[in-house]
Amino acid sequence: MIFLGPVCFMEVSQREALLRQIEEEIRRCTRCRLHTGRTHAVPGEGRPDALVMFIGEAPGYYEDKQGRPFVGAAGRYLNSLLQKSGLRREDVFITNIVKCRPPNNRDPLPDEIRACSPFLDRQIEIVNPRVIVTLGRFALHHFFPGASISRVHGQPRWLGERLFFPMFHPAAGLYQPKWQPALEEDFRKLGELIRSLTTQEGVTTEEE
Ligand code: URA
């Protein structure tokens, strides 16, 4: 039996309420300069008790317009990768390292990441996912500073009670097709990993 950390017995309704509270704080947040340019903050969305959490970089143009993560071109590619892996978007939780769009989609700056990441840390604590998929180097570096994404992508590793699965960012595959085979293979491996975690003896999902 694999040790998957302490089981969190928080009710789904309680998680939902806590996540709503964080969302409201994010929508009102003025902790960094990014709030001045936002149309909508993008707190994230998904199952409050998801087994898998995906963490991207920052909202882009369409995410800022709609207030939802991964709804533009990278989001459509993410949806197709999820489908190939056998995971359903409605079963996972999707969020970003920073919750407001950087101007012209530039990289988020270190002080913006520092200001925003306490929201992410609280979301992780509440959803309590067993598996965290980092999409791109900013999400990877939040947990593994300095790690090289081209070396570690597709290789799950434990950190505390969670299994981390680093991936390239879907936008990398979209704009540089040479990364697509790696992304597709990593998502296939992720699907297998999730199926093995949920069927192993002694490993149960929280609603069971
Ligand atoms: N890229 C990201 O990293 N996050 C989004 O929500 C959309 C595009």
Side-chain angles (χ1 to χ4, degrees):
M1 172 159 126
I2 285 185
F3 175 66
L4 286 169
V7 175
C8 172
F9 287 111
M10 213 192 297
E11 296 286 343
V12 175
S13 59
Q14 197 181 350
R15 292 177 206 231
E16 239 159 18
L18 290 167
L19 289 170
R20 288 294 91 79
Q21 198 177 311
I22 297 173
E23 279 176 23
E24 280 164 31
E25 287 176 44
I26 292 171
R27 292 189 211 286
R28 288 195 311 266
C29 178
T30 56
R31 287 183 199 174
C32 84
R33 65 186 74 72
L34 295 183
H35 80 277
T36 59
R38 76 180 169 222
T39 313
H40 294 106
V42 182
E45 64 185 24
R47 271 185 77 131
D49 59 346
L51 181 69
V52 190
M53 179 182 279
F54 287 81
I55 303 174
E57 180 179 317
Y61 177 85
Y62 291 100
E63 290 78 19
D64 172 73
K65 291 282 169 251
Q66 296 183 35
R68 296 184 54 211
F70 283 96
V71 290
R76 284 192 294 281
Y77 187 41
L78 175 64
N79 291 346
S80 81
L81 290 164
L82 282 169
Q83 206 172 15
K84 281 188 190 137
S85 73
L87 294 173
R88 299 188 317 169
R89 184 165 165 140
E90 57 269 38
D91 287 338
V92 304
F93 194 93
I94 303 178
T95 187
N96 283 303
I97 287 284
V98 300
K99 315 297 194 198
C100 295
R101 182 190 180 210
N104 302 313
N105 297 342
R106 67 153 165 76
D107 288 347
L109 300 174
D111 65 320
E112 295 161 356
I113 294 173
R114 267 197 307 279
C116 209
S117 55
F119 292 127
L120 174 66
D121 295 338
R122 285 165 63 197
Q123 288 173 316
I124 293 171
E125 205 179 311
I126 293 162
V127 176
N128 196 24
R130 300 233 174 102
V131 179
I132 290 185
V133 180
T134 56
L135 299 171
R137 71 195 155 96
F138 288 94
L140 175 66
H141 290 169
H142 182 64
F143 304 99
F144 301 99
S148 156
I149 192 157
S150 36
R151 286 216 192 106
V152 303
H153 76 90
Q155 297 170 38
R157 65 166 114 159
W158 291 98
L159 182 65
E161 65 201 44
R162 306 190 203 287
L163 192 55
F164 284 77
F165 202 113
M167 303 250 191
F168 287 116
H169 195 286
L174 208 55
Y175 300 113
Q176 288 187 286
K178 68 172 179 184
W179 299 120
Q180 284 182 9
L183 261 164
E184 287 168 21
E185 172 60 12
D186 290 351
F187 267 82
R188 192 194 59 72
K189 276 171 74 176
L190 175 70
E192 269 178 12
L193 176 88
I194 300 304
R195 281 185 287 280
S196 79
L197 279 183
T198 50
T199 53
Q200 271 179 74
E201 196 189 343
V203 177
T204 56
T205 54
E206 283 168 11
E207 66 275 12
E208 283 173 334

